[in-house]
Amino acid sequence: MLPRVLPRSGVPAARSSRYRSDAMTAKEKLRQRIETLSEHEAEQTLRLLDMRADPMIAAFMDAPEDDEPLTPEEEAAVEESRAEHLRGESVPLDEIRHEFS
């Protein structure tokens, strides 16, 4: 049996799709993935893209992480909070949200 050939290309169909996907641009790949999104996921993606267009949000998202060293007092506070957590003295976030909602 002869392999199916795409019209005008002369390239076997199975090979053609592989080569075509390798040559896809980022925009083509994005369009393909968009088609697989649910309506809710599409809305979330639109919000994300809209946020990136806001110069203030873009500046925050592109800002480097805080690289300022901790003071000795801050390091002590971090260690104290970790020790409290390990001793089971911390309050779960869900409880805090419930208390203050």
Side-chain angles (χ1 to χ4, degrees):
M1 179 174 184
L2 294 173
R4 195 182 81 189
V5 175
L6 292 178
R8 293 186 288 175
S9 72
V11 177
R15 288 184 53 215
S16 175
S17 64
R18 187 184 80 199
Y19 293 128
R20 190 175 49 231
S21 68
D22 290 346
M24 288 175 67
T25 66
K27 286 185 176 184
E28 290 170 333
K29 290 176 185 177
L30 185 57
R31 284 185 196 101
Q32 195 175 56
R33 290 186 184 166
I34 286 171
E35 292 303 319
T36 66
L37 297 176
S38 68
E39 187 63 25
H40 178 70
E41 291 168 327
E43 289 171 1
Q44 289 177 321
T45 303
L46 279 173
R47 279 195 295 276
L48 177 64
L49 291 172
D50 289 342
M51 284 188 336
R52 291 293 299 172
D54 182 319
M56 183 62 76
I57 292 176
F60 280 118
M61 292 177 79
D62 294 336
E65 286 188 33
D66 182 15
D67 59 354
E68 212 171 295
L70 295 176
T71 65
E73 294 82 14
E74 291 169 330
E75 286 182 21
V78 169
E79 288 306 315
E80 181 182 343
S81 67
R82 286 185 179 142
E84 288 175 356
H85 176 71
L86 291 174
R87 291 191 304 265
E89 298 172 1
S90 58
V91 178
L93 182 58
D94 290 340
E95 284 184 32
I96 294 171
R97 285 184 176 152
H98 179 72
E99 184 177 334
F100 291 100
S101 63

